[in-house]
Amino acid sequence: MVRLILPFLTISLVLGQILSNPEQSVPFNTARHLEKQNRLDEAAVIFQDLVENNPGHSQAYQRLRDIYVRQNKLNNAVSLIQSHLEHFPNDTPSKLSLGEMLYKLEKPFEARRIWQEIENQAPPNLTNYRNLFNTYIRLSLEEDLVAMVHRARI
């Protein structure tokens, strides 16, 4: 009796893990494998499909965003992030990424508007300041950094 139940139990456990953890799905793993082989266009197609069918698939979203950045397809990255923020408007790391992409696309006013919104979130959040600090350093925005530090002290 136990020998009959054990295979069914194993199958149900494996299926349960796949269904509860979409990052372990076959398409996701295939896309990751393609990405590791530097077949970025093929991986991007699979990740895009995963994101379209499940906007909450955070790993597929992050991988696709990173592929667009690696390929210097910043307009695609901006569109992806904006679409993601429609579903998850409080995703501060994505807002930071959007600002960075806009800045790299030579849209500094839009980027700074987004960063200012992050800084002005109530209550003040030390993680947000740290992330903004790192963004300003990475983009060599010393004046913005000094101004933010000054505002944070007040």
Side-chain angles (χ1 to χ4, degrees):
M1 179 76 166
V2 172
R3 288 183 184 170
L4 291 174
I5 295 174
L6 190 58
F8 291 110
L9 182 61
T10 303
I11 290 170
S12 68
L13 286 172
V14 170
L15 285 176
Q17 287 177 346
I18 290 172
L19 294 175
S20 67
N21 189 359
E23 284 79 14
Q24 298 305 317
S25 69
V26 173
F28 180 82
N29 289 334
T30 301
R32 286 288 289 149
H33 181 71
L34 291 168
E35 183 182 10
K36 288 177 184 176
Q37 293 179 334
N38 209 31
R39 295 166 57 186
L40 300 180
D41 289 331
E42 295 170 76
V45 169
I46 296 171
F47 286 134
Q48 180 68 42
D49 186 54
L50 289 169
V51 169
E52 286 174 0
N53 290 318
N54 180 3
H57 197 310
S58 61
Q59 289 293 316
Y61 158 72
Q62 291 169 356
R63 299 305 330 140
L64 182 58
R65 183 193 63 207
D66 291 348
I67 286 173
Y68 286 153
V69 170
R70 285 170 54 191
Q71 293 179 317
N72 203 32
K73 295 180 178 179
L74 300 183
N75 285 316
N76 290 8
V78 166
S79 296
L80 175 68
I81 296 167
Q82 288 172 332
S83 175
H84 177 78
L85 287 170
E86 288 175 13
H87 296 282
F88 305 98
N90 297 322
D91 184 352
T92 302
S94 289
K95 289 179 184 179
L96 279 164
S97 292
L98 178 59
E100 187 169 342
M101 296 305 116
L102 290 169
Y103 187 82
K104 289 178 178 180
L105 286 168
E106 299 181 5
K107 298 180 180 180
F109 296 111
E110 293 178 50
R112 285 186 173 98
R113 181 187 53 78
I114 291 168
W115 295 329
Q116 193 64 50
E117 287 176 14
I118 293 169
E119 185 180 338
N120 292 336
Q121 286 178 356
N125 184 319
L126 292 178
T127 301
N128 288 349
Y129 280 110
R130 184 173 41 252
N131 290 333
L132 285 165
F133 182 93
N134 290 332
T135 299
Y136 293 150
I137 292 286
R138 190 171 41 258
L139 297 174
S140 300
L141 298 172
E142 291 87 8
E143 290 179 18
D144 294 88
L145 175 62
V146 170
M148 181 192 67
V149 169
H150 179 71
R151 287 189 302 271
R153 286 183 169 181
I154 296 176

